[in-house]
């Protein structure tokens, strides 16, 4: 049955380049320059898919992004496959494989087609009214609903393609490379503006470029010829950057726009290797000109959805651009003059046009007269009342309209056809304008919404603004662009345009039929199968707002986002409710204009570039020594260093024993470090920490606790006084950036009078922390001249010392409770000093330990970890750290909040220690603590925040927050788990070395 | 995506900035003198205006300076940008 | 009595070509006076009116809505319903709602399509693991069906998640609440509206509140675009616009209204059969009955009433989605939109009386109000009818910001050494 419908005229496909493709398993041919749709049509294939709800056979309807029906699954394998691709947009490439969606077993015989017969039971919103009994069955109903919904299939393998982002800046962005956009580009360029011109198709020129009419003339030339010269001119213009195959996706506030360029989708799969598939342009434009054109409207009548029923402009484009006849027996059904251009194209190409049906009484324009002169039968004041043909239209039935246009009269006339070209007028593409926040105005003359008010520097021209005739398009575009750009004269000022002028207009949103509406199927949204009846049902049921109607009937919610359906839906609502369409308003146009691939939005930020991680200068050493890593903020921190098949538990036990018994070394480089200088630095610390800083001497270190203004613990760390007006603050690893921001905020906005400067130096220094009874010996081996005696270098003090040329800041501070030295060096010496410590410590079995062992060691000493033992609801008092709140200071951040009625409660949750009755039982962090697990609801008293098995104490230890914990010391409580209940006793938070003797080695 | 004119660096993309909420809520000089209600007013209560709001922004991925912005929250239009310590403009 | 909805009524109406369906709700003009007026015709407001009529016999009441009912956050959210909250007060509140959800379609005789396909929350770092385990233990003891899943169990429950341990933030496990799921957002508003209307509640759309009239410290009525409405009780459920209404009464609230965005993909055949949330990398995804992937993005840092957020938020969200689901790279974003969420400092809502007699606020739901709709309506109705909170919403009083007794649901600050 496959015929070649290609005609021999001056079309835009390259017949020297034959391409093969496969549709539903059948091998077919087309040419370079074809879209998949034109190639299918040239093979006489209209039926390409089934509709969403009723599974009705559907064919190619349009030639652009408004296509509701011809959406196919495209791609060669599970990784490359792509659902819901519009055949009208995708350029044909050699080897393309595509399949129909939403049908089983095949598009020609689809079991789901039974829904068409059940359609009386499936009106708009039927699912809200049923599937409720029995209640437990909803899951089963839903399983089938979900299975039958959806269109194509998601890929099931990882996408092999690359995507890219680029920023573009321009004076003038022009969206749409049709005639008005091209002229605007030229005018702007002549005024020396940097112009960026985007065109979503492969070629510039819009619909005028393939217009073969003898009526429209520009400067006495055929308009397409005139346009071709302009395009050559523009391509050579250095002020104009042109991006083709680039469609504008979204227009955001402040003239920020997103556009997607297709770079490889038109190439055969083999030619795509290592090329970027799509690029997302993030555009900042000083001014924006929207020249996106208009979309033809269908007409709404009974059975207006059969394969072979197409937009008249599409039929014309398939002939004039692709050289493809959509049918051999054509009928046109219109309400306006533009379809007569299709009539002329059909005639010129020698394609049979059986009749034109026009709902108007007459039209006397030049173009209609030309058609009349050809002897083509025109049925004035008639409408189509029905069509026949299940998988392809074969007949239309026509009747005369009554005077009011709300009923049909007279005899039925049957006309044979295999293609019905319909036109219901034109809708300006105002999507981008409204996306940008622009307000529309309804034009009652043309029944269109046109751009009205905007806050942004933008202009709509051409048919996107509502000008449809060539002379209006050109002359208004010139006039408006000049005004927009503040230009006096342009080279187009004397342009001479001739075109046919439409005089008679008539519009009927829902055409009458000889049957009652309830017995007809006049489709509005082809993809979602919503009909005029559904709209009326929604209105009857009280859904008044247009947004309600849309949501209840799902009109305009398909992959075409209602580009064809919305105006008719509005029109029918307005007619039914006797409202002016302008008062009704439109539904919101949401970005993107056409669906945008996730990969394109994400660009290169996938895989290893998803989120770059930070590593310390010693990172490579950790890797070489088999460290396992933990994510802490953006950092990768060594977590533990398993040896010879050790489990994590084994490794941590070994590491912590070594640190307690001889020596351990920790990479502490990730701790936040803030350099604080200025004559008010001391006062500043007094204000940001809870404790007092006035008496801290130079060369001494102090632990500080920082609160939020709500009184809750925010961060902690040790700060060292390096000089009279010079301090080095350390923060938690994860909190570093936030602390820095917070301190800057206070300094700049609350206390600008303070002479303090903050510099983040986290990345500038590397820190190796050596601890354990042998730490002093190791440090002594490295820094031979450094006096390490307790008198000269006591706990919580600091020395600056040189190792060769390397400046080292050595701090004697401890987070493990052991004698401990932190060596800070410039980051580039980090690995050197680390290895130096390892070498010096060899004889003392120096053992590198990771964050897990660090956590265990500090827990033995009852030191908190902000973020683990606190959760934004703990005050210092709750942590039993009352000692750190200065009683003398008048104020510090968060102080006032500590005296609110809730924060002074005695029965708040407080930090305690927990010991399990079975010393080998390790509690789960996060487990809840109760007194009585049988009383329901269970009264939860608190939870375990930190829990470890201590190899030094040979028992399990835990920290917890517990309601009234301070009072409960020694009490027996329960930790209920899923499978058992663990008995615990509340203890002190310090488990080891209460006397703090280890700190001296 | 706004364009924000940092008073120190010039016009930059919004993604370089972070908002710090309503401006001109000075931290009380003597918090201890306030009752719980007054302290809560400072800590939590916000005008959250629909219309022109005076607010703080930080050029966090730039000069890290804080400054003030008068912005219409009903359409995100920035009316005025002014430095910390300056009085809000009359709009 | 309205038409009862069922398969039988559908069949019956099919014979009359669906021309005899009654209005789901009337379209009345406001009366001069009501016993109570609810400001805001979203899910929460309509539910409040429904329960005021149903449980407290207050039928001379109205819901006034600036636009069309369900047009705010009710119709803009990602429809996730769960109750696996940390604190007892929150668990009580959200599980109360979840229990109502479980019978809501039958109660309203309107299929709200509550689908208990489970909600999984993923852990990506050790602190996530601690926090989620803590939550799971608390949930279990509170009678909420949450369980902890190890990584292989996560993979088993949702096979398309990339659980490779080599990715930037590998999945270290997760929690699953099986009773959780999604519902059809529009249906919730419409179902409650139909139910409330049937009991005599006036639902007045296109009626914007312009002022609140006070007599001393008590309310007297509302100035609206449809004239003055006299009432002694006003329940405000205006989400993002709560502060705007509060300002009319001279009140300040601890709220900031920020843009929150969401998006859907083109519809595809079933590919993900549950709801997966990841706080750490910020990606929420489920699949609607229509086949669209429904993806929630984050909030912006600034106050805005434009219902538009910044694009980089969407970009960040999709980055995270592709990190966890690399197979979605060729899927396409069909629609993207924003809502205005009113956020409290402790990420918990306010359902409370105020210092003004007869003025009640239900606000501060932030990014997660949809799931609470039935419970919120029920408890707010109780609070308005009795001028006292129910024990389940007592903790969510406005005074907690003064006392400091917050219900902090931010979860633990992700800060660790």
């Amino acid at each position: 049955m496959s015929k070649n419908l290609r005609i021999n005229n001056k079309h835009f496909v390259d017949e020297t380049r034959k391409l093969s493709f496969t549709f539903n398993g059948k091998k077919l041919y087309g040419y370079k320059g074809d879209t998949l749709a034109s190639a299918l049509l040239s093979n006489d294939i209209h039926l390409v898919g089934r509709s969403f709800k009723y599974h009705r056979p559907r064919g190619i309807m349009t030639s652009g992004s408004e296509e509701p029906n011809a959406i196919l699954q495209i791609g060669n394998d599970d990784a490359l496959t792509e659902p819901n691709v519009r055949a009208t947009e995708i350029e044909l490439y050699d080897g393309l494989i595509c399949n129909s969606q939403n049908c089983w077993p095949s598009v020609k015989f689809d079991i789901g087609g039974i829904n068409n017969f059940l359609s009386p039971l499936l009106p708009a919103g039927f699912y809200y009214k049923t599937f409720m009994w029995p209640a437990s069955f909803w899951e089963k109903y839903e399983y089938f609903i979900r299975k039958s919904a959806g269109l194509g299939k998601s890929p099931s393998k990882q996408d092999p393609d690359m995507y890219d982002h680029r920023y573009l800046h321009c004076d003038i962005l022009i969206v749409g490379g049709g005639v008005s956009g091209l002229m605007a580009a030229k005018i702007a360029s002549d005024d020396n503006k940097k112009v960026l011109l985007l065109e979503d198709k492969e070629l510039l020129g819009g619909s005028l470029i393939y217009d073969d009419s003898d009526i429209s003339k520009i400067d006495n030339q055929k308009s397409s010829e005139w346009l071709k010269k302009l395009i050559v001119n523009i391509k050579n213009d250095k002020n104009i950057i042109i991006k083709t195959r680039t469609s504008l996706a979204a227009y955001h506030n402040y003239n920020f726009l997103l556009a997607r360029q297709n770079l490889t989708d038109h190439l055969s799969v083999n030619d795509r290797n290592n090329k970027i598939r799509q690029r997302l342009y993030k555009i900042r434009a000083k001014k924006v000109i929207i020249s996106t054109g208009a979309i033809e409207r269908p007409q709404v009548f009974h059975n207006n959805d059969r394969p072979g029923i197409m937009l008249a402009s599409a039929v014309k484009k398939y002939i004039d651009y692709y050289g493809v006849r959509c049918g051999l027996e054509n009928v046109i059904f219109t309400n306006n003059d533009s379809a007569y251009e299709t009539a002329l194209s059909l005639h010129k190409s020698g394609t049979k046009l059986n009749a034109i049906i026009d709902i108007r009484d007459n039209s006397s324009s030049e173009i209609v007269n030309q058609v009349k002169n050809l002897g083509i039968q025109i049925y004035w004041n008639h409408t189509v009342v029905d069509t026949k043909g299940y998988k392809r239209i074969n007949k239309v039935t026509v009747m005369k309209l009554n005077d009011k246009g709300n009923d049909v009269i007279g005899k039925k006339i049957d006309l044979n056809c295999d293609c019905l070209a319909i036109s219901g007028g034109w809708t300006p593409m105002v999507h981008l304008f409204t996306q940008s926040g622009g307000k529309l105005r309804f034009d009652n003359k043309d029944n269109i919404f046109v751009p009205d008010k905007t806050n942004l520097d933008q202009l709509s021209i051409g048919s996107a603004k509502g000008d449809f005739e060539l002379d209006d398009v050109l002359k208004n575009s010139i006039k408006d662009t000049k005004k927009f750009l503040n230009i006096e004269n342009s080279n187009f000022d004397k342009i001479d345009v001739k075109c046919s002028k439409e005089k008679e207009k008539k519009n009927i949103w829902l055409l009458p039929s000889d049957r009652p509406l309830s017995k007809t199927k006049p489709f509005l949204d082809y993809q979602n199968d919503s009909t005029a009846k559904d709209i009326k049902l929604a209105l009857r049921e009280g859904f008044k707002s247009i947004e309600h109607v849309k949501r209840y009937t799902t009109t305009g919610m398909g992959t075409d986002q209602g580009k064809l359906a919305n105006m008719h839906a509005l029109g029918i609502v307005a007619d039914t409710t006797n409202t002016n369409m302008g008062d009704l308003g439109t539904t919101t146009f949401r970005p993107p204009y056409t669906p945008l691939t996730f990969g394109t939005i994400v660009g290169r930020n996938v895989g290893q570039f998803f989120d770059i991680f930070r590593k310390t200068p010693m990172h490579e050493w950790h890797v070489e020594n088999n460290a396992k890593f933990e994510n802490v903020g953006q950092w990768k921190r060594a977590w533990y260093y398993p040896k010879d098949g050790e489990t994590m538990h084994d490794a941590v036990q070994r590491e912590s024993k070594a640190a307690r018994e001889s020596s351990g070394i920790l990479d502490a480089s990730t701790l936040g470090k803030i350099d604080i200088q200025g004559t008010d630095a001391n006062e500043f610390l007094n204000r940001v920490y809870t404790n007092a800083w006035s008496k801290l001497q130079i060369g001494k270190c102090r632990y500080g606790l920082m609160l939020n203004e709500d009184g809750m613990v925010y961060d902690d760390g040790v700060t060292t006084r390096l000089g009279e007006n010079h301090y080095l603050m350390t923060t938690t690893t994860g909190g570093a950036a936030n602390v820095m921001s917070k301190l800057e905020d206070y300094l700049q906005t609350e206390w600008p009078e303070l002479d303090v400067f903050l510099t983040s130096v986290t990345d500038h220094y590397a820190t190796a922390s050596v601890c354990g009874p042998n730490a002093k010996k190791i440090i002594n081996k490295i820094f031979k001249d450094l006096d390490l005696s307790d008198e000269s270098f006591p706990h919580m003090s600091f020395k600056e010392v040189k190792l060769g040329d390397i400046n080292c800041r050595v701090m004697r501070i401890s987070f493990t409770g052991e004698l401990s030295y932190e060596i800070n060096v410039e980051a580039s010496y980090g690995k050197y000093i680390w290895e130096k410590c390892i070498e010096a410590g060899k004889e003392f079995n120096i053992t590198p330990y990771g964050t897990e062992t660090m956590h265990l060691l500090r827990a033995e000493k009852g030191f908190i970890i902000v973020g683990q033992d606190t959760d934004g609801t703990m005050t210092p008092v709750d942590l039993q750290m009352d000692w750190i709140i200065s009683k003398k200071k008048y104020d510090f951040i968060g102080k006032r909040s500590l005296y609110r009625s809730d924060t002074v409660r005695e029965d708040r949750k407080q930090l305690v220690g927990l010991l399990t009755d079975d010393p080998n039982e390790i509690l789960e962090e996060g487990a809840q603590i109760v007194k009585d697990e049988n009383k329901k609801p269970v009264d939860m008293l608190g939870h375990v925040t930190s829990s470890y098995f201590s190899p030094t104490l040979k028992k399990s230890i835990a920290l917890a927050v517990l309601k009234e914990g301070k009072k409960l010391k020694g009490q027996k409580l329960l930790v209920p788990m899923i499978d058992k209940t663990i008995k615990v006793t509340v203890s002190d938070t310090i488990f080891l070395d209460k006397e703090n003797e280890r700190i001296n080695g | 995506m706004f364009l924000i004119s940092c008073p120190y660096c010039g016009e930059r993309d919004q993604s370089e900035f972070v908002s710090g909420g309503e401006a001109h809520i000075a931290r009380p000089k003597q918090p201890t003198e306030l009752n719980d209600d007054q302290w809560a007013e400072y800590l939590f209560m916000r005008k959250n205006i629909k219309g022109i709001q005076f607010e703080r922004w930080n050029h966090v991925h730039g000069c890290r300076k804080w400054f003030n912005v008068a912005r219409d929250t009903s359409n995100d239009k920035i009316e005025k940008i002014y430095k910390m310590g300056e009085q809000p403009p009359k709009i | 009595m309205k038409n009862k909805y069922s398969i039988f009524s559908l069949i019956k109406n099919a014979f009359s070509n669906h021309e005899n369906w009654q209005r789901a709700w009337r379209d009345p003009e406001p009366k001069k006076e009501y016993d109570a007026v609810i400001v805001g015709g979203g899910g929460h407001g309509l539910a409040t009116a429904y329960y005021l009529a149903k449980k407290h016999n207050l039928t001379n009441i109205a819901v006034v809505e600036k636009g069309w009912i369900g047009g705010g956050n009710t119709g803009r959210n990602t429809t996730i319903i769960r109750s696996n909250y940390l604190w007892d007060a929150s668990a009580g509140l959200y599980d109360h709602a979840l229990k109502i959800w479980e019978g809501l379609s039958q109660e309203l005789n309107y299929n709200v399509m509550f689908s208990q396909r489970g909600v999984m929350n993923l852990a990506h770092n050790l602190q996530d693991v601690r926090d989620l385990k803590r939550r799971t233990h608390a949930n279990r003891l509170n009678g909420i069906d949450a369980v902890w899943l190890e990584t292989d169990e996560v993979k088993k429950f949702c096979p398309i998640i990339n659980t490779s341990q080599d990715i930037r933030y590998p999945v270290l496990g997760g929690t699953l609440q099986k009773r959780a799921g999604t519902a059809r957002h529009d249906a919730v508003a419409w179902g409650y509206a139909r139910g409330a209307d049937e009991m005599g509640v006036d639902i007045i759309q296109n009626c914007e509140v312009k002022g609140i009239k006070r007599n001393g410290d008590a309310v007297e009525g509302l100035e609206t675009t449809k004239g003055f409405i006299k009432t002694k009780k006003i329940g405000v459920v205006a989400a993002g616009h709560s502060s705007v209404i509060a300002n009319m009464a001279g009140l300040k609230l601890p709220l900031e209204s920020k843009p929150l965005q969401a998006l859907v993909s083109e519809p595809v055949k079933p590919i993900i059969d549950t709801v997966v949330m990841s706080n750490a990398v910020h990606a929420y995804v489920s699949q609607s009955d229509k086949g669209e992937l429904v993806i929630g993005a984050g909030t912006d840092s600034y106050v805005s009433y434009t219902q538009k957020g910044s694009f980089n938020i969407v970009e960040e969200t999709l980055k995270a989605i592709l990190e966890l689901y690399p197979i979605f790279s060729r899927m396409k974003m069909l629609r993207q939109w924003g809502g205005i969420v009113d956020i409290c400092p402790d990420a918990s809502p306010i359902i409370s009386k105020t210092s003004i007699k007869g003025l009640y606020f239900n606000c501060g739901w932030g990014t997660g109000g949809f799931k609470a709709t039935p419970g919120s309506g029920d408890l707010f109705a109780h609070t308005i009818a009795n001028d006292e909170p129910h024990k389940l919403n007592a903790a969510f009083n406005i005074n907690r910001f003064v006392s400091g007794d917050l219900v902090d649901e931010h979860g633990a600050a992700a800060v660790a050494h």
Side-chain angles (χ1 to χ4, degrees), chain A residues 684-702:
Chain A
F684 181 68
L685 289 173
N686 269 328
R687 294 187 191 186
V688 300
Y689 278 127
T690 60
N691 45 342
W693 291 79
S694 310
K695 290 183 181 156
L696 184 71
Q697 291 165 4
I698 296 171
K700 289 285 176 342
C701 315
R702 183 165 291 173

Side-chain angles (χ1 to χ4, degrees), chain B residues 50, chain C residues 39 64-67 204-211 222-227 229 241 244-245 248:
Chain B
K50 184 178 185 177
Chain C
V39 178
V64 294
E65 164 56 46
K66 184 172 73 165
I204 304 160
Q205 302 184 73
N206 295 310
C207 180
E208 184 177 354
V209 171
K210 291 292 192 185
L222 290 160
E223 301 287 354
T224 77
T225 48
K226 294 196 173 183
I229 302 173
H241 281 78
V244 176
I245 307 283
M248 291 175 189

Side-chain angles (χ1 to χ4, degrees), chain B residues 10-26:
Chain B
E11 200 168 66
R12 294 287 192 280
D13 189 276
Q14 176 198 329
S15 52
E16 295 186 15
F17 300 84
V18 66
S19 166
E22 193 178 327
H24 307 296
I25 304 175

Side-chain angles (χ1 to χ4, degrees), chain A residues 924 927-928 933 975-982, chain C residues 133 136-137 140-141 146-149:
Chain A
E924 182 167 281
Q928 298 287 326
E933 60 177 328
V975 175
M977 305 299 288
I978 294 181
D979 51 350
K980 61 183 170 188
T981 299
I982 302 167
Chain C
K133 282 191 172 170
T136 310
H137 283 295
R140 192 182 80 247
L141 296 173
V147 292
W148 170 258
L149 302 183

Side-chain angles (χ1 to χ4, degrees), chain A residues 135-296:
Chain A
S136 60
F137 266 47
W138 167 241
E139 265 181 48
K140 294 183 181 66
Y141 295 131
E142 197 188 26
Y143 173 78
F144 289 103
I145 291 172
R146 287 173 82 87
K147 226 178 128 174
S148 63
L151 289 165
K153 292 191 190 82
S154 162
S156 56
K157 296 229 169 79
Q158 182 152 0
D159 187 351
D161 276 324
M162 266 189 301
Y163 301 83
D164 195 24
H165 286 175
R166 189 177 287 178
Y167 287 89
L168 289 176
H169 299 261
C170 59
D171 293 328
I172 317 290
L173 171 68
I174 296 174
V175 188
V179 63
S180 54
L182 292 169
M183 285 197 349
K186 190 70 190 130
I187 293 170
S189 163
D190 289 346
D191 191 44
N192 238 337
K193 297 285 193 303
K194 295 287 169 214
V195 178
L196 175 62
L197 174 65
L198 307 182
E199 166 55 44
D200 66 347
K201 300 280 186 326
E202 179 197 355
L203 298 176
L204 296 174
S207 58
L208 200 62
I209 197 76
Y210 57 89
D211 186 66
D212 199 31
S213 150
D214 305 316
I215 300 171
S216 70
K217 291 259 163 59
I218 304 174
D219 289 343
N220 274 322
Q221 306 165 54
K222 205 174 203 177
S223 51
S224 53
E225 294 304 321
W226 180 89
L227 184 60
K228 281 173 191 162
K229 287 178 199 155
L230 176 63
I231 291 172
V232 172
N233 211 330
I234 280 177
K235 283 186 173 164
N236 292 325
D237 192 320
K238 291 204 167 57
N239 278 339
I240 304 175
I241 293 171
I242 304 167
K243 301 277 179 203
T244 55
R245 293 192 176 104
T246 305
S247 64
L248 204 100
Y251 188 164
H252 294 292
N253 212 343
Y254 286 78
N255 278 353
F256 176 72
L257 302 98
L258 301 169
R260 177 216 34 230
Q261 186 172 33
N262 270 322
L263 298 166
T264 62
D265 279 359
H266 59 288
L267 302 176
S268 74
V269 174
N270 292 336
D271 293 338
R272 296 178 189 181
N273 286 343
N274 299 319
K275 294 195 177 99
I276 292 158
R277 182 182 177 217
Q278 296 185 349
R279 178 172 285 141
L280 184 74
Y281 291 108
K282 299 179 172 181
I283 303 167
R284 285 282 184 188
K286 287 188 184 137
K287 287 169 180 275
V288 176
I289 296 178
I290 299 173
S291 50
T292 43
I295 313 176
E296 191 167 26

Side-chain angles (χ1 to χ4, degrees), chain B residues 1-2 14-15 17-19 21-22 36-37 40-41 44-50 53 55 57 71 73-76, chain C residues 66 240-241 243-244 247 252-257 300-306 308 310-312 345 399 401-402 406:
Chain B
M1 300 287 278
F2 319 157
Q14 176 198 329
S15 52
F17 300 84
V18 66
S19 166
E22 193 178 327
D36 282 1
D37 279 305
E41 174 83 12
F44 297 124
M45 301 303 164
R46 297 294 176 262
K47 288 187 201 141
N48 197 22
I49 284 172
K50 184 178 185 177
Q53 162 160 298
E55 57 192 16
W57 282 79
R71 182 175 56 93
T73 61
S74 68
N75 59 19
D76 288 340
Chain C
K66 184 172 73 165
H241 281 78
S243 297
V244 176
N247 290 342
K252 259 206 240 175
L253 296 172
L255 295 177
E256 284 191 303
S257 295
D300 273 293
S301 69
Y302 54 88
V303 169
S304 179
Y305 289 85
T306 57
K308 284 185 178 124
S310 48
F311 179 72
N312 51 345
N399 202 45
F401 296 97
V402 175
L406 304 184

